Amino acid sequence: MAIVARGFTGRGRSDPALPPGQYLTQDFPVLSAGPTPRIDTSRWQFTLATETGERQSWTWEQFLALPSEDVTVDLHCVTKWSKLGSHWTGVPLEEFLGELDTSAEYASVSSYGGYTTNLPVEDLLGGQAWIAHRYDGEDLTPEHGGPARLLVPHLYLWKSAKWIRGIQLLIEDEPGFWETAGYHNYGDPWREQRYWGD
Amino acid sequence: MARAAVLGRLTWRAVTVTGVRDETATARTLVLDAGDWPGHLPGQHLDLRLTSADGYSTQRSYSIASAGPGPVEITVAAVDGGEVSPYLARDVRPGDQFEVRGPVGGYFVWRREDPAPVLLAAGGSGIVPLMAMIRDRSASDSRVPFRLVYSIRSPAEAIYARELARRVRDDHGLDVTYLYSRSAPEGWRRAPSRIRPGDLVANGWPPELDPLCFVCGPTGFVEATATLLAGAGHPAGRIKTERFGG
Ligand SMILES: Cc1cc2nc3c(=O)[nH]c(=O)nc-3n(C[C@H](O)[C@H](O)[C@H](O)COP(=O)(O)OP(=O)(O)OC[C@H]3O[C@@H](n4cnc5c(N)ncnc54)[C@H](O)[C@@H]3O)c2cc1C
């Protein structure tokens, strides 16, 4: 039985569009562990490496030349806010991973600034993940991960690595920055997988 | 290690408010009896869940203000129109109960054994986890030099002002500088303004000393301060940030 907080009413009803323990915000809060890196697109590069050490890189121009999609998705941050119906433009991960010869099941995503996060490769495929470069019709600002960030909206937002720089495919899972600091390895908001053991 | 503090399952526990302390007109400290609380490192936070009589519940994060063993304290600043903070900062009284789980967060923490000088930069209620560090430093008789730069709109908004004044006097190696963004006390030398590069040059540490910098507060303050520190030559890995929102 939950403990009732005397006299607390709050906003009343939970929104069925919100995962458990989340509340709705209209703003777009910022969460990151350090200063915001500023990356010039002239020196931006995205590198995909397979488990056998094969590497492929894209410059900013090459990246933008790939087919992008406009998507409208809900965002869920582990610090409890959710933002519904946010508009993004990004390149689906199939564009990078589609033709690849790999048996890797895990991905380690790394960012400019040193951030890392991990997720299963299958969560990057099937129209579930993009490398996004526009938000709400504008170029993505550095605070929100620009010039480009991973967008995997079905997982808590820390998995959507800002300032993405590369993806390393792995045979064995490798927990990232928050995942080694007590946060859940997978991070499904609908199962409220915030922390280890959730 | 932070790891140890977060290892295992974080389960919800009922806590009882055993005391309340007004810090300013809008911020209040709640003293919690958290039973067999596993302990925490300064800088960590907890998740707090409020449930209404009709079963609705909502969660927020709050930094832990206290250090070491003993009751867990949080300090909440009421955000106008907020769902949770006005309740905690105004309505709660001793004997009330709600749920928490934690401690959470293993990165924004200060460790007693780290000898590097420390810069603490707080904006408003961002002082809370930094105060836990100051208290832990004192509790462990640490000689690590700490400098706190504390930005608030006006003198009346200073949380923990009396304790900070006492610690500056008694805890050797702690310096505190207030930055007022809207109105400063009579005769104050610095004209009211948001944090500026010179504030950190005058009251922080040069990057050559390899200090560890903790920056906490509303997003705008954290963005501005972390950008200034990075611009002054502090490596990104030495600037740890916690953004409260707003
Ligand atoms: C890791 C972490 C630690 C935190 N520690 C503390 C703490 O020690 N003390 C503390 O008082 N708060 C702390 N916060 C903020 C706290 O979790 C809540 O966001 C805050 O109390 C507002 O909640 P609310 O329900 O009253 O407002 P909501 O109903 O959630 O929001 C109401 C309005 O206020 C805005 N808002 C939300 N947060 C803030 C803010 N911090 N400042 C200004 N405007 C805001 C929202 O955008 C919204 O428009 C922390 C947040 C995080 C992520």
Side-chain angles (χ1 to χ4, degrees):
Chain A
M1 231 346 254
I3 300 286
V4 171
R6 182 194 54 83
F8 175 72
T9 50
R11 300 223 168 95
R13 287 268 57 88
S14 319
D15 187 331
L18 296 180
Q22 295 293 110
Y23 65 91
L24 187 63
T25 178
Q26 306 299 334
D27 327 323
F28 192 170
V30 173
L31 188 89
S32 32
T36 298
R38 322 266 148 182
I39 304 107
D40 202 319
T41 51
S42 66
R43 64 175 186 91
W44 185 90
Q45 212 178 21
F46 172 72
T47 302
L48 179 64
T50 68
E51 72 277 19
T52 58
E54 243 175 88
R55 301 165 75 83
Q56 197 181 346
S57 293
W58 288 262
T59 63
W60 186 251
E61 286 68 33
Q62 291 167 333
F63 164 65
L64 286 188
L66 297 171
S68 279
E69 293 175 0
D70 292 326
V71 293
T72 300
V73 297
D74 300 340
L75 308 177
H76 309 296
C77 179
V78 71
T79 63
K80 323 283 179 325
W81 57 266
S82 289
K83 186 174 176 58
L84 303 181
S86 63
H87 303 292
W88 298 82
T89 306
V91 178
L93 265 292
E94 279 88 352
E95 292 293 335
F96 305 95
L97 296 170
E99 306 288 286
L100 216 63
D101 182 19
T102 175
S103 51
E105 286 180 24
Y106 299 98
S108 169
V109 184
S110 57
S111 299
Y112 288 94
Y115 182 77
T116 58
T117 189
N118 59 305
L119 69 175
V121 172
E122 68 171 339
D123 286 81
L124 291 173
L125 301 172
Q128 303 185 89
W130 298 265
I131 295 183
H133 52 88
R134 290 173 75 75
Y135 166 70
D136 222 5
E138 310 273 348
D139 288 346
L140 190 55
T141 59
E143 289 79 17
H144 291 303
R149 74 179 297 169
L150 185 62
L151 180 66
V152 219
H154 70 287
L155 300 178
Y156 280 124
L157 201 55
W158 89 77
K159 296 283 183 181
S160 293
K162 298 182 195 180
W163 318 299
I164 192 168
R165 163 181 222 165
I167 295 180
Q168 168 76 58
L169 300 178
L170 297 165
I171 299 293
E172 282 191 46
D173 198 8
E174 207 170 87
F177 180 84
W178 289 120
E179 292 83 359
T180 47
Y183 286 79
H184 199 275
N185 197 49
Y186 183 62
D188 178 353
W190 294 97
R191 287 184 276 166
E192 207 172 357
Q193 294 174 333
R194 297 182 197 276
Y195 312 119
W196 295 355
D198 278 356
Chain B
M1 264 190 57
R3 278 264 197 132
V6 287
L7 249 176
R9 220 175 124 76
L10 291 177
T11 48
W12 290 102
R13 61 179 72 226
V15 298
T16 305
V17 177
T18 57
V20 300
R21 222 164 41 231
D22 286 331
E23 302 288 357
T24 69
T26 52
R28 167 178 275 187
T29 293
L30 304 182
V31 184
L32 309 177
D33 175 358
D36 57 345
W37 180 253
H40 60 273
L41 294 169
Q44 288 189 297
H45 65 271
L46 50 74
D47 281 0
L48 188 154
R49 179 163 72 185
L50 296 180
T51 303
S52 69
D54 61 3
Y56 168 78
S57 77
T58 192
Q59 303 180 23
R60 296 292 186 277
S61 300
Y62 290 96
S63 301
I64 303 165
S66 52
V72 172
E73 296 185 4
I74 59 172
T75 303
V76 179
V79 170
D80 282 338
E83 182 178 26
V84 169
S85 60
Y87 173 81
L88 294 174
R90 292 179 196 139
D91 302 344
V92 161
R93 52 185 195 224
D96 284 353
Q97 289 195 309
F98 46 80
E99 291 164 293
V100 307
R101 65 174 184 154
V104 181
Y107 184 70
F108 193 82
V109 293
W110 178 69
R111 290 188 172 76
R112 296 171 167 194
E113 51 292 357
D114 187 342
V118 170
L119 171 68
L120 307 173
S125 55
I127 186 70
V128 178
L130 308 184
M131 193 65 188
M133 298 178 191
I134 291 171
R135 289 170 169 165
D136 196 58
R137 172 186 183 274
S138 179
S140 59
D141 291 323
S142 165
R143 289 303 179 94
V144 170
F146 267 40
R147 286 184 176 168
L148 167 66
V149 176
Y150 185 10
S151 171
I152 41 182
R153 279 178 292 207
S154 68
E157 293 195 1
I159 298 174
Y160 312 131
R162 297 232 310 274
E163 181 178 340
L164 282 171
R166 173 172 64 75
R167 291 194 181 281
V168 166
R169 195 189 61 215
D170 299 343
D171 297 5
H172 299 288
L174 169 69
D175 291 328
V176 176
T177 305
Y178 287 94
L179 306 177
Y180 301 101
S181 62
R182 297 227 184 121
S183 67
E186 196 73 32
W188 197 255
R189 277 184 20 224
R190 180 183 177 279
S193 96
R194 289 171 178 245
I195 194 159
R196 289 184 304 234
D199 295 323
L200 293 168
V201 174
N203 307 298
W205 303 104
E208 298 73 51
L209 295 180
D210 200 26
L212 193 50
C213 308
F214 293 92
V215 185
C216 185
T219 302
F221 171 83
V222 173
E223 277 298 315
T225 306
T227 301
L228 288 178
L229 289 169
H234 296 272
R238 303 296 285 169
I239 309 169
K240 302 194 176 204
T241 59
E242 187 93 279
R243 293 161 170 88
F244 276 8

